[in-house]
């Protein structure tokens, strides 16, 4: 059974930093596209960043230069380092894995999801 278990998140003031992590179980971790998404009430799930088996990364324009996605295949984890956080980054953040190789930040392309973790940025 494929599972993604998240940790990290919390509350921070504008300009601060947080790191999210996501551990994967039940699949060959280093062969799957992995990503971070976020969602606020009443809005669509937004792709934040994704990382691929070949090391390619993709970022939403709104987080480029501030967020960094990375993976530790030995530790079966991905991370999202979030720097210079802004109030508009406030959301529930989810990690996700795709069942096939697709370069995408579209939530519909990802099949397995973590439980979510709240990030709140105050001004």
């Amino acid at each position: 059974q494929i599972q993604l278990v998240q940790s990290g998140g919390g509350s921070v003031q504008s300009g601060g930093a947080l790191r999210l992590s996501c551990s994967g179980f039940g699949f060959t971790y280093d062969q799957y596209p992995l990503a971070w998404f976020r969602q606020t009430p009443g809005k669509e799930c937004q792709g934040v960043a994704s990382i691929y088996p070949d090391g390619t990364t993709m970022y939403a324009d709104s987080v480029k230069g501030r967020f960094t996605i990375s993976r530790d295949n030995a530790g079966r984890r991905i991370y999202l380092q979030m720097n210079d956080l802004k109030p508009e980054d406030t959301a529930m953040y989810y990690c996700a894995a795709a069942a096939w190789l697709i370069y995408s930040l579209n939530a519909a392309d990802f099949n397995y999801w973590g439980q979510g973790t709240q990030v709140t940025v105050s001004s």
Side-chain angles (χ1 to χ4, degrees), residues 49 68 78-79 100 105 123:
T68 303
I78 60 167
Y79 301 96
W100 52 83
L105 281 175
S123 57

Side-chain angles (χ1 to χ4, degrees), residues 19 21-24 28-30 34 36 51-52 69-80:
R19 189 174 81 157
S21 65
C22 175
S23 298
T28 308
Y29 199 72
D30 60 352
L34 298 160
W36 291 97
I51 189 164
Y52 299 88
I69 188 171
S70 60
R71 66 193 300 162
D72 170 10
N73 290 331
R76 304 175 65 83
R77 290 183 179 178
I78 60 167
Y79 301 96
L80 185 68

Side-chain angles (χ1 to χ4, degrees), residues 65-109:
R66 300 189 298 121
F67 290 13
T68 303
I69 188 171
S70 60
R71 66 193 300 162
D72 170 10
N73 290 331
R76 304 175 65 83
R77 290 183 179 178
I78 60 167
Y79 301 96
L80 185 68
Q81 178 65 43
M82 304 182 292
N83 297 330
D84 188 24
L85 282 160
K86 303 176 181 182
E88 52 263 43
D89 295 317
T90 295
M92 184 72 77
Y93 283 72
Y94 298 89
C95 66
W100 52 83
L101 182 60
I102 182 167
Y103 292 87
S104 169
L105 281 175
N106 186 335
D109 293 324

